[in-house]
Amino acid sequence: MPYAPADAHVRFSLHPDHHPAVIATTTGPTADAARSHLHDAGFRSTSPTTMVLARVDREEPHYAVKTAERLRQLGFTTEIEPALQEEIDTEWTWANYPMPWCTREEIREVGAEAQRIHDDIAEGRLVVHLHAHDGHATVAVGSYATGVRRHVHLHGENHLRQKTGIAFDTEAEAVSEFHRLYSVAVRPGPAPLTDLEQSIRQLLAGEIPSAVEETFAPAAEPPVAEPGDHEAFLAALFDEERQWERYRPFDETTIAFHESLALRAQFDHEARHRTDVAWTIAEYDGPVGERLWHATVTAGTPVPLVHTMLQYLDAPPFTIAGDLDGVLHGAAWRPASHPARTTWAAPDGTVVFESTPHAVEDRWTLYGGEDLGRAAWTIRLSAGVPHDLLAQLASTAADLIPSPTQPSPRPLPAPGSASQSAAQLPLPAAVPQARPPRR
């Protein structure tokens, strides 16, 4: 029996409100056949002509192009919009991935398995009985509807969720072992949905793309520095702060030495992209001592954060903002534990503070954006950084996020001005900018 002609057109584009989800729009007499193939590839219908691919492993562009290739082989006409093609052509990897020995393809395989588990839970094939937090990650016990040794333990969230490798013959055996492992931390039912899982559920709830902009609020953008802001701040540093001396060995680099000879800040004038390292800051154990800690700051980082770091080093305040946890908790930042790290996210998700306790170079990371792999800017601090400085940075970062009672941050006076106090650092207004592509 001959097949019907593949007379349909499929256009693939980035979702406007959930980067990097993909929308497939189908037209033509055999659009139903094309939609069947799209469904097999993980796309879900949101209207009679549109389907959405939204994954917990954030690999939508990769799977979209594979789907487009398959449809072309079947005779369908496909079109990939330029913005999506740019995402497809951009190589990226997860920052601080907890399994650094994995190749890019192996990371993708781990994410694909996490996606299968997510889909099994969302579609009712895998029922989660209990969950707990083991101090680093979310764990759970569940049962598949069919299969041999179908009772399993799960570990992790989103793109890192995996089966532990141990399968049980009965539900009672799996649940009993789960209670033995996690004791009083055990809670009934599945764990609360992560922010990513919630947004995916919303995307697949049935809204057509034209209605998405009315249903969902536009994603908030992280505060970033405007071009030239860091140059202006550097000039003000030498004009107003007499304890810093300028040395410029090359046209593209300026080095600022503190009068104590134990502090140094290096500025790269050639840092153009917001994710290029613009500042390297270090503290030493005396003029000829060992380096105690260091930090790197990218060009898109809001100037108040650099200002906070240099002011703290120059004249640590008599009163500090408090401890890091207390500052972020007081500002309503959301804590979350992941394998090998802990994060605190601002209420609007635009700035994240991350701790990796076992790392040396990047023990602490402060970045703007939903994900470190696609951050608009980044501050990385090594082990040894003073905890008082971390608290000051956290306080400044929290003040960068407008609140209902404080619609915009305060302007930043020049370094050393009379209105500036060590205990409270004024901040410049943040200018929303487009999120940069993944690197």
Side-chain angles (χ1 to χ4, degrees):
M1 178 178 177
Y3 290 100
D7 186 11
H9 180 276
V10 184
R11 185 178 76 252
F12 295 90
S13 59
L14 282 175
H15 196 286
D17 296 292
H18 184 88
H19 185 87
V22 174
I23 297 173
T25 306
T26 57
T27 55
T30 60
D32 286 346
R35 291 169 67 84
S36 177
H37 291 293
L38 288 166
H39 187 276
D40 292 343
F43 285 78
R44 295 296 178 262
S45 178
T46 55
S47 85
T49 59
T50 58
M51 301 183 76
V52 171
L53 178 65
R55 298 175 58 92
V56 295
D57 60 1
R58 314 309 294 275
E59 293 281 3
E60 292 94 329
H62 169 76
Y63 290 99
V65 73
K66 290 175 69 70
T67 303
E69 292 170 356
R70 175 59 178 160
L71 289 174
R72 282 195 293 270
Q73 292 172 358
L74 295 172
F76 295 98
T77 301
T78 63
E79 174 190 354
I80 297 177
E81 292 195 347
L84 174 57
Q85 187 62 54
E86 182 179 354
E87 283 293 318
I88 293 168
D89 295 337
T90 300
E91 286 295 330
W92 72 283
T93 188
W94 290 98
N96 293 337
Y97 195 74
M99 293 172 273
W101 57 85
C102 290
T103 65
R104 186 67 186 87
E105 287 306 313
E106 289 170 339
I107 290 174
R108 189 166 281 145
E109 290 174 7
V110 172
E113 174 62 17
Q115 182 65 40
R116 285 190 287 270
I117 296 173
H118 170 270
D119 291 344
D120 288 341
I121 295 173
E123 296 172 15
R125 293 185 294 270
L126 173 58
V127 177
V128 176
H129 308 303
L130 305 167
H131 75 277
H133 197 279
D134 69 354
H136 299 285
T138 299
V139 292
V141 57
S143 299
Y144 284 91
T146 60
V148 179
R149 296 180 65 82
R150 55 192 176 88
H151 309 283
V152 297
H153 287 185
L154 305 174
H155 183 278
E157 296 177 339
N158 295 338
H159 66 291
L160 296 174
R161 182 186 282 149
Q162 298 290 301
K163 299 171 190 174
T164 61
I166 303 174
F168 302 88
D169 292 321
T170 67
E171 178 183 329
E173 184 183 359
V175 169
S176 175
E177 178 65 7
F178 193 79
H179 274 289
R180 186 190 70 81
L181 291 172
Y182 303 111
S183 179
V184 296
V186 174
R187 298 291 182 269
L193 296 177
T194 65
D195 290 345
L196 179 57
E197 288 174 326
Q198 290 179 15
S199 63
I200 288 175
R201 292 280 181 95
Q202 289 176 326
L203 286 181
L204 304 181
E207 295 87 352
I208 61 175
S210 60
V212 168
E213 292 184 0
E214 300 174 0
T215 305
F216 297 101
E221 299 291 346
V224 297
E226 283 284 277
D229 282 356
H230 287 271
E231 294 277 359
F233 174 75
L234 182 67
L237 178 70
F238 293 116
D239 289 342
E240 304 294 337
E241 302 289 350
R242 301 302 182 186
Q243 55 271 50
W244 291 94
E245 295 289 338
R246 180 198 303 262
Y247 175 59
R248 191 162 183 174
F250 306 105
D251 289 341
E252 68 273 13
T253 303
T254 292
I255 299 176
F257 287 102
H258 190 261
E259 61 183 4
S260 67
L261 302 182
L263 308 173
R264 191 178 85 162
Q266 178 175 305
F267 180 74
D268 183 0
H269 297 269
E270 296 298 316
R272 294 289 183 260
H273 193 275
R274 289 196 179 113
T275 56
D276 293 341
V277 172
W279 294 85
T280 302
I281 300 170
E283 182 178 10
Y284 298 84
D285 186 17
V288 294
E290 296 289 330
R291 188 174 67 183
L292 299 176
W293 64 273
H294 66 282
T296 58
V297 181
T298 60
T301 303
V303 167
L305 295 169
V306 184
H307 180 245
T308 294
M309 296 176 68
L310 294 183
Q311 170 147 18
Y312 177 90
L313 294 174
D314 177 39
F318 292 108
T319 59
I320 61 171
D323 65 276
L324 179 64
D325 286 333
V327 171
L328 296 178
H329 178 75
W333 285 40
R334 303 185 304 274
S337 293
H338 310 269
R341 71 185 192 278
T342 301
T343 62
W344 297 265
D348 63 356
T350 60
V351 181
V352 177
F353 215 130
E354 179 174 296
S355 166
T356 310
H358 303 295
V360 175
E361 290 298 308
D362 300 333
R363 175 69 60 87
W364 304 89
T365 305
L366 179 63
Y367 62 90
E370 296 178 355
D371 185 86
L372 185 54
R374 295 179 289 275
W377 51 266
T378 310
I379 298 177
R380 301 180 186 273
L381 303 107
S382 71
V385 63
H387 283 259
D388 290 353
L389 174 55
L390 293 173
Q392 291 289 347
L393 272 176
S395 178
T396 302
D399 284 344
L400 283 171
I401 311 302
S403 66
T405 57
Q406 182 185 336
S408 61
R410 300 180 297 276
L412 175 72
S417 63
S419 63
Q420 178 183 334
S421 69
Q424 188 175 25
L425 298 176
L427 307 171
V431 181
Q433 299 291 334
R435 184 178 289 111
R438 293 183 292 188
R439 294 290 176 189

